[in-house]
Amino acid sequence: MKKKRKIALNKLYNLCLFFALCALLICIDSFQEKDIAWTVGSGLVTLAFILVPMTPYAYVFDAEGVSFRYLLWPTERYLWKDIRNITVEWDSSSTHSSGFEFFWASVFCLEANPVGKHRWYMEGHIRKSFRTKRLLEQYWDGTITGYLFEDAKKWLNKKRKQKQKEIKAHLTDEVAPMEREIRAKVREWLAPFIAQAKQYDLDMRADYRYITGDGDERKSRPQEGYTYTLMIEIARPNETDDNRVVLLSVDLLYVRLGKTTYRGVVNEHAEEELRLTLTDVLDEIFKNGIDVYCKDL
């Protein structure tokens, strides 16, 4: 069955097409006047405005994700389930500082890995427009941040919630099993390193924390987006001096609030980050001792 798709044009590429049309008109007029230099020059400018811009000409939305379509380059695609956050940002790479350019500079920044190979031009930026805003809010189950006056809106929403007698809690049907599954995997990943630490007469303790967007560290799940983080302590048995305790952390899940439930995105590089970090730390401790390692931090 064919997917139902909705298309939003990139207004920055439309601007390039407008300039290309102007250059094309000059090219036609120069050709009629038999001015070879202007004909060739304006013709090249026309092609440049059409082919050179490293920006998609359209965004194609469907139930599974969004695709960025380029004229000369492979499609850039992101799946909704992999997007952990969307923010409105200033795209300084495509514009400068004038008030007119501000209209083109605002983009929706997708925090996710693209499907397939990550090519050099793939930034995950969707040019902001009324249509792209509406389609993102329609398809993605999350809250877009970074809008102007967002702090004022948050304050008003907070006041509105305080007046409500009953605040409906978000469902954890999706994220709670994800947390249990990742904890089970972490136990397997840590087992050889815990054994290695014991050989060095060291204790390795693991705990889990919910880190909110403003950096607050909590032991229970907050009513807001958070990063589910593994916290590791390495120290001698019964060590009481905090300065002789090695603290490490690895992000496991990126969680946002959807409309009715928590939505989680797994950090696909968590195992690799954990193994590399613990291998380096334990090797350094074995060579120099934990006291020297902590002193060098």
Side-chain angles (χ1 to χ4, degrees):
M1 183 177 179
K2 193 174 181 179
K3 296 179 183 177
K4 185 177 180 181
R5 299 174 178 175
K6 294 185 179 180
I7 299 176
L9 298 177
N10 183 353
K11 61 186 181 181
L12 183 59
Y13 194 82
N14 290 343
L15 180 64
C16 293
L17 291 181
F18 172 77
F19 288 137
L21 178 60
C22 293
L24 178 61
L25 293 176
I26 295 174
C27 179
I28 294 173
D29 183 68
S30 300
F31 178 76
Q32 292 175 345
E33 296 293 331
K34 298 182 179 180
D35 189 333
I36 303 301
W38 273 93
T39 300
V40 174
S42 56
L44 292 175
V45 171
T46 301
L47 291 176
F49 273 118
I50 295 176
L51 301 179
V52 173
M54 291 306 304
T55 186
Y57 63 84
Y59 311 100
V60 181
F61 294 76
D62 58 58
E64 295 180 356
V66 57
S67 300
F68 299 14
R69 297 293 176 83
Y70 295 85
L71 196 63
L72 298 178
W73 311 100
T75 298
E76 178 180 359
R77 181 165 175 79
Y78 299 87
L79 300 180
W80 302 125
K81 65 182 183 67
D82 293 334
I83 299 176
R84 56 182 181 266
N85 193 30
I86 299 179
T87 57
V88 179
E89 296 184 2
W90 173 273
D91 186 10
S92 58
S93 63
S94 62
T95 59
H96 299 288
S97 58
S98 70
F100 175 76
E101 290 165 338
F102 176 80
F103 177 72
W104 310 97
S106 190
V107 296
F108 293 106
C109 182
L110 312 185
E111 293 185 18
N113 294 321
V115 176
K117 184 177 180 180
H118 191 169
R119 302 177 186 275
W120 60 273
Y121 59 86
M122 296 180 177
E123 296 181 331
H125 289 176
I126 295 179
R127 196 67 48 183
K128 187 173 177 289
S129 68
F130 290 113
R131 181 164 177 79
T132 55
K133 176 178 181 292
R134 181 171 62 82
L135 291 176
L136 282 173
E137 292 177 345
Q138 174 183 342
Y139 283 100
W140 185 63
D141 187 9
T143 301
I144 300 174
T145 60
Y147 288 118
L148 289 175
F149 311 114
E150 182 180 348
D151 292 338
K153 290 181 180 178
K154 287 183 178 179
W155 182 83
L156 291 174
N157 289 334
K158 183 177 180 180
K159 288 294 182 181
R160 193 177 296 114
K161 288 181 179 180
Q162 288 176 350
K163 293 181 180 180
Q164 296 176 351
K165 293 182 179 180
E166 296 181 359
I167 300 178
K168 295 182 179 179
H170 278 68
L171 300 176
T172 61
D173 295 1
E174 175 181 316
V175 74
M178 293 178 72
E179 292 175 2
R180 288 196 297 270
E181 182 179 353
I182 197 66
R183 287 197 299 269
K185 291 181 179 180
V186 167
R187 286 193 290 271
E188 296 179 2
W189 300 341
L190 284 178
F193 294 103
I194 293 175
Q196 183 180 356
K198 286 184 178 180
Q199 294 178 356
Y200 302 159
D201 194 26
L202 297 171
D203 282 344
M204 182 181 295
R205 297 181 292 273
D207 200 0
Y208 302 88
R209 292 290 187 271
Y210 302 88
I211 311 297
T212 62
D214 53 8
D216 286 345
E217 182 179 313
R218 306 184 187 182
K219 292 186 177 182
S220 59
R221 186 181 295 109
Q223 284 289 333
E224 59 182 294
Y226 62 88
T227 300
Y228 193 57
T229 303
L230 169 66
M231 311 295 291
I232 300 175
E233 292 185 1
I234 303 175
R236 293 192 181 91
N238 304 316
E239 181 64 70
T240 58
D241 187 351
D242 291 341
N243 294 324
R244 295 181 177 180
V245 177
V246 179
L247 299 176
L248 306 172
S249 66
V250 177
D251 295 343
L252 302 176
L253 295 174
Y254 303 103
V255 180
R256 67 181 186 275
L257 289 183
K259 295 179 177 64
T260 59
T261 187
Y262 288 92
R263 299 290 188 186
V265 177
V266 176
N267 178 9
E268 298 177 353
H269 305 291
E271 180 180 5
E272 179 183 0
E273 293 174 7
L274 179 64
R275 293 187 185 280
L276 289 175
T277 301
L278 286 178
T279 299
D280 291 343
V281 170
L282 290 177
D283 286 348
E284 286 294 324
I285 291 176
F286 176 72
K287 292 177 182 178
N288 304 315
I290 192 169
D291 292 339
V292 174
Y293 182 86
C294 291
K295 185 177 180 181
D296 291 340
L297 293 179

